[in-house]
Amino acid sequence: MEKLLFVLLISLFLIAGCSSERQTEIPESSKLEMRKDADEFMSGLRDVLLSIIKNNGLVAAVSVCSDTAQVMTNNFGVEKGVYIKRVSFKYRNEINNPDEFETEGLKYFEQIQNEGKLDSLSEFIKVVEENKISYLRYMKPILVQPPCLNCHGMEEQIMPEVRELINSNYKNDKAKNYKAGDLRGAVSIQKVF
Ligand code: HEC
C-alpha cells in the first residue's frame, strides 16, 4: 500500500512538473500585433534611410542610421507603449548588443539560416517571466540588402568619407564585411503579456 502511494505521489509530481514546463499558449492576435509593429517600425526606418540617401547622399545618411534610428526607435516605443530595439551580434553601436533572450533568438535565426530556412517571415516568439511579470517577447530577422553594403559591406565598398565618419563615430564597429542576404540582426519587441 505504502509502495503504491509512493508511486502515485511520484507520478503526480512528474505530471505536475511536466505541465509547468509546457509552453504558454500565445494567441494568434498577439502574434499579429507584434508582427505588425515590427514591420511598421522597420519599413518606417528603411523609408527614411533610403530617401535621405537619395536626396542628401550617403554621408548625411550615416546620421540617419545613428541619431535618427535611435530617436525613431524611442518614439515608436513610447507611442506604442512597447520595448523595441534593433539588436545584432556584430553591432556598430554597443547599445544594440543583445540580451539573453535576444541572444537565443539570434542564434535561432543563425541556425535556420544554416539550414536554408531563414526568410523575412521568420519569427522567434516566447513568453518570458521576469520579476514575476510575464512578457511576450518577439523577434524578426533583419537581412542585408544591396543598399546596406554602402555602410555595412567590405571596406572597399564603403566610400572613404563614409568610412571615416563611421570609424570616428564607432570605435568598436563590428558591423562591416556583410554580404547581401546575410543576417544583419533582428528587431526585438517586448510587451507585458
Ligand atoms: C548610410 C550608412 C548606412 C546604411 C546605408 C545602412 N546603415 Fe545600418 N547602421 C549605420 C550606422 C551608422 C549604424 C549605427 C546606428 C546606431 O548608432 O544606433 C547602423 C546600425 C544598424 C543596425 C543596428 C545594429 C548595430 O549594428 O548597431 C542594424 C540592424 C542596421 N544598421 C541594419 C541596416 C540595414 C538592414 C541596412 C540596409 C537596409 C542598413 N543598415 C543600411 C549606417 C548605415
Side-chain angles (χ1 to χ4, degrees), residues 42 45-46 49-50 53 57-67 69-70 73 85-97 142-152 158 162 165-166 169-170 173-175 178 182 184-187:
M42 286 311 293
L45 208 54
R46 195 171 43 236
L49 178 70
L50 294 180
I53 292 180
L58 276 169
V59 176
V62 174
S63 71
V64 172
C65 229
S66 46
D67 311 341
Q70 293 302 337
T73 308
K85 70 186 278 199
R86 295 186 302 168
V87 293
S88 177
F89 284 144
K90 293 199 291 165
Y91 49 81
R92 175 155 288 166
N93 186 336
E94 57 201 356
I95 71 166
N96 300 324
N97 196 8
I142 300 174
L143 302 176
V144 175
Q145 295 160 295
C148 317
L149 300 176
N150 286 307
C151 299
H152 295 294
I158 306 176
V162 171
L165 192 57
I166 291 174
N169 287 353
Y170 304 95
D173 182 25
K174 301 181 183 176
Y178 281 99
D182 280 352
R184 175 67 186 85
V187 51

Side-chain angles (χ1 to χ4, degrees), residues 18-181:
C18 286
S19 65
S20 72
E21 281 277 298
R22 224 180 46 205
Q23 273 282 349
T24 317
E25 208 60 55
I26 301 168
E28 205 50 42
S29 58
S30 303
K31 289 187 197 169
L32 266 173
E33 219 176 90
M34 300 296 244
R35 201 172 294 149
K36 200 171 135 264
D37 283 352
D39 290 344
E40 199 181 311
F41 170 70
M42 286 311 293
S43 63
L45 208 54
R46 195 171 43 236
D47 289 353
V48 173
L49 178 70
L50 294 180
S51 86
I52 302 267
I53 292 180
K54 192 161 152 250
N55 299 321
N56 307 76
L58 276 169
V59 176
V62 174
S63 71
V64 172
C65 229
S66 46
D67 311 341
T68 315
Q70 293 302 337
V71 172
M72 282 178 75
T73 308
N74 290 340
N75 288 352
F76 192 94
V78 170
E79 187 193 317
K80 304 269 177 181
V82 296
Y83 157 108
I84 185 161
K85 70 186 278 199
R86 295 186 302 168
V87 293
S88 177
F89 284 144
K90 293 199 291 165
Y91 49 81
R92 175 155 288 166
N93 186 336
E94 57 201 356
I95 71 166
N96 300 324
N97 196 8
D99 68 14
E100 199 181 316
F101 168 82
E102 290 159 343
T103 299
E104 199 186 331
L106 286 171
K107 281 192 178 150
Y108 167 74
F109 292 142
E110 279 182 347
Q111 182 203 326
I112 63 171
Q113 188 175 43
N114 291 339
E115 295 164 1
K117 291 187 206 144
L118 181 80
D119 62 29
S120 56
L121 299 178
S122 306
E123 297 174 316
F124 186 72
I125 185 161
K126 235 180 179 182
V127 177
V128 174
E129 198 172 306
E130 217 174 273
N131 300 326
K132 300 215 161 65
I133 302 173
S134 289
Y135 294 97
L136 189 57
R137 299 206 60 174
Y138 174 93
M139 288 171 76
K140 209 175 167 151
I142 300 174
L143 302 176
V144 175
Q145 295 160 295
C148 317
L149 300 176
N150 286 307
C151 299
H152 295 294
M154 306 289 162
E155 294 281 345
E156 61 274 16
Q157 288 176 302
I158 306 176
M159 258 168 47
E161 298 98 299
V162 171
R163 207 161 54 210
E164 264 167 41
L165 192 57
I166 291 174
N167 291 346
S168 72
N169 287 353
Y170 304 95
K171 297 290 175 222
N172 296 314
D173 182 25
K174 301 181 183 176
K176 286 199 200 106
N177 299 316
Y178 281 99
K179 296 185 298 305

